[in-house]
Each structure stands twice: as C-alpha cells, then as structure tokens.
Amino acid sequence: MTKSLRIRAAMVSLVIFAAFIGTWHLATRGTGAVAQMSPEYAALMGATATQGKSAMPGPLDVGAKLWEHIQQPFYDNGPNDKGLGIQLGYSIARVAIGYLIAVAVAIPLGFLIGMSPLMNKALDPFIQVLKPISPLAWMPLALYTIKDSSLSAIFVIFICSVWPMLLNTAFGVASVRKEWINVARTLEVGNVRRAFTVILPAAAPTILTGMRISIGIAWLVIVAAEMLVGGTGIGYFVWNEWNNLSIVNVIIAILVIGVVGMLLDQILARFTRMVTFPE
C-alpha cells in the first residue's frame, strides 16, 4: 500500500511539474507591441522592446543557463564573478558553523531547562523576550561589534537556530515519562547516566524535530543576511545578478536555494525517523 501510494504521488508530482513548465513556456512565448524608438535606444533596450518578446525568461533559457553553471560551478573571475558552486559553498559553510554552535548551546541548555523547574522559571522571561526578535535585527549590532561580515552572518545563523532547538529540547526532556525516570532512580542510576541512557533516547525525536525546524530557518536567513553583508554567498549572488538584470540567474539561484533547503530538511527528517520508535 505504501509503495503504491508513493508511485501515485510521484506520478501526480510529475504531472503538476509538467503542467507548470508548459504554462511557463507558453506564457513567455507571447509577443507584444513593438515600440518605435531610435536605433541607439533600441540597442540599449534589447529584444524585449525591439521584438516584443517577454521580459521573463522561459524554461528553455533557464535550463540552458543552468547547464552552463553545472559545467563550470567553481570558476573564479574576480570578486563579483564567481561560480554558483563557490557561492553555494560559502553559504553552506556559514550555515553549518552557525548551526553547529547553536546545537552546542541549545541542547545542553535545553536539558538543563527541561530537567530543572527552577531554571525553567528563571530563564523563561529571557527566552520569551529574545525569541521573537528578527534575526536580521541583530545584523547591525553584529557588524558593529564583530566588524567582520562573514562572522556576523554566522552569528545571525546561530541566533535564529538556537531557539527552536532550545525549546524543543526542553519540551522533550520535560515530557519524558515519569515512570521511566522513577525506574532509573530505583536502580540508583546517576543523573549524568540517566540523562544519556533514559532521557536522551526518549527525547531524541523531539530534539531532532527542533533541529529540523532550525535548519530550515537558518537556510532562510542566510540568503537575506548575505544580501545585506555582500561579498560572497548565494544570497549575494541573487542580489548581484539582480543588479546585473540577469533574471535567468536569479531564477536559477532561487531553484538552487529551494533544492538545497529540501535536501537539508530531508537529512534531518531521516535522522528523526531513525530515532523514532513505536512504544
């Protein structure tokens, strides 16, 4: 039944994708009225004005340009002309560093909050004040204090990743069945051993759910952060190509951002399924 459902879902997805590509192709094939203008101005405006073509590139144009990027993903022709692979590598590296720092902070602190009602009550006001702040609101302060755009972007990734993991870890730890903890106490299992052998396995699905939420938020934020700080990264690539009026490259970058985000989410989803067991 599950295999049949997957096959049917894949077929529906392919039909939707084909319909989208076909609609996109037909919509960009249309032509409009050709304006009368001087030859110099016509050369400046290009085919959109002189031939009445759609200003939006079609799927064939995007596919051809994407193939060029795939063939040469790591070229480096200077500060403002780097391959898509290089730009993507910078973004993934920043997300990985900020995310791992958030893991190192959020999970131990979440354990402390979940296991101690006193720390839960004491830290809750700080969490509730800091959690709603937009990560990008921290960027000016980070740039002023750190004075490095790349490290500032990493800090923003850290600050946006820490809260879902922290809250989910605290919730998962606090929700562990009391009878399991009481059995461990009866067997005189120490606090540290109890945390690793009883609480961590029971709370692991909830913790990984928080990590999955965090990686999605981190990948969202890095694009906006790199648009602000500039230099390198997939967000800077999008902004730079927009300044160059290369809509084809903007669409390709959007596609790449979506695919990478999906892969990151699926990796965490796989880990979540690995630690989830029926009771």
Side-chain angles (χ1 to χ4, degrees):
M1 179 64 72
T2 303
K3 185 177 181 180
S4 174
L5 179 62
R6 288 178 179 175
I7 293 174
R8 285 182 291 158
M11 292 177 63
V12 173
S13 296
L14 288 174
V15 170
I16 294 173
F17 178 74
F20 171 75
I21 294 296
T23 303
W24 180 12
H25 176 68
L26 293 175
T28 55
R29 283 189 63 197
T31 57
V34 179
Q36 298 296 325
M37 62 189 72
S38 65
E40 293 81 4
Y41 189 67
L44 177 65
M45 294 300 295
T48 300
T50 59
Q51 300 176 25
K53 291 185 178 180
S54 172
M56 179 64 68
L60 297 179
D61 300 322
V62 173
K65 190 65 176 178
L66 178 60
W67 179 244
E68 292 181 18
H69 284 294
I70 292 174
Q71 288 180 312
Q72 292 184 316
F74 300 109
Y75 73 86
D76 190 349
N77 295 331
N80 293 324
D81 190 10
K82 299 181 186 295
L84 192 59
I86 293 177
Q87 305 285 22
L88 194 59
Y90 276 108
S91 297
I92 292 175
R94 288 172 182 141
V95 168
I97 295 171
Y99 182 79
L100 290 176
I101 296 173
V103 170
V105 172
I107 293 181
L109 187 57
F111 260 83
L112 178 62
I113 294 172
M115 295 179 68
S116 172
L118 173 63
M119 295 306 298
N120 187 3
K121 293 292 185 181
L123 294 178
D124 185 66
F126 300 98
I127 295 172
Q128 297 306 322
V129 169
L130 295 174
K131 179 169 62 73
I133 299 174
S134 170
L136 295 181
W138 293 96
M139 181 61 76
L141 187 61
L143 289 170
Y144 180 76
T145 55
I146 301 174
K147 296 180 173 59
D148 184 279
S149 60
S150 183
L151 292 178
S152 298
I154 291 172
F155 171 77
V156 169
I157 294 303
F158 161 76
I159 207 71
C160 76
S161 301
V162 72
W163 305 119
M165 278 189 280
L166 176 64
L167 295 175
N168 272 51
T169 301
F171 175 76
V173 170
S175 300
V176 175
R177 289 188 176 182
K178 299 302 180 184
E179 53 264 32
W180 295 349
I181 298 176
N182 292 334
V183 168
R185 286 174 177 166
T186 302
L187 296 175
E188 298 183 352
V189 177
N191 290 334
V192 176
R193 187 180 175 190
R194 188 192 317 150
F196 282 97
T197 59
V198 179
I199 298 175
L200 180 58
T206 307
I207 294 172
L208 279 165
T209 299
M211 294 175 65
R212 184 179 178 185
I213 296 170
S214 290
I215 197 66
I217 296 174
W219 190 242
L220 282 171
V221 170
I222 191 61
V223 175
E226 288 172 344
M227 285 183 178
L228 291 177
V229 300
T232 53
I234 193 67
Y236 172 72
F237 179 83
V238 172
W239 193 249
N240 189 50
E241 294 304 318
W242 161 246
N243 290 331
N244 295 332
L245 296 180
S246 179
I247 305 301
V248 174
N249 279 331
V250 171
I251 294 174
I252 290 172
I254 291 171
L255 176 64
V256 170
I257 290 168
V259 170
V260 173
M262 179 189 69
L263 292 176
L264 293 174
D265 180 79
Q266 290 303 307
I267 291 171
L268 269 298
R270 176 70 175 175
F271 286 146
T272 303
R273 289 193 294 270
M274 289 172 61
V275 300
T276 302
F277 302 98
E279 296 184 6

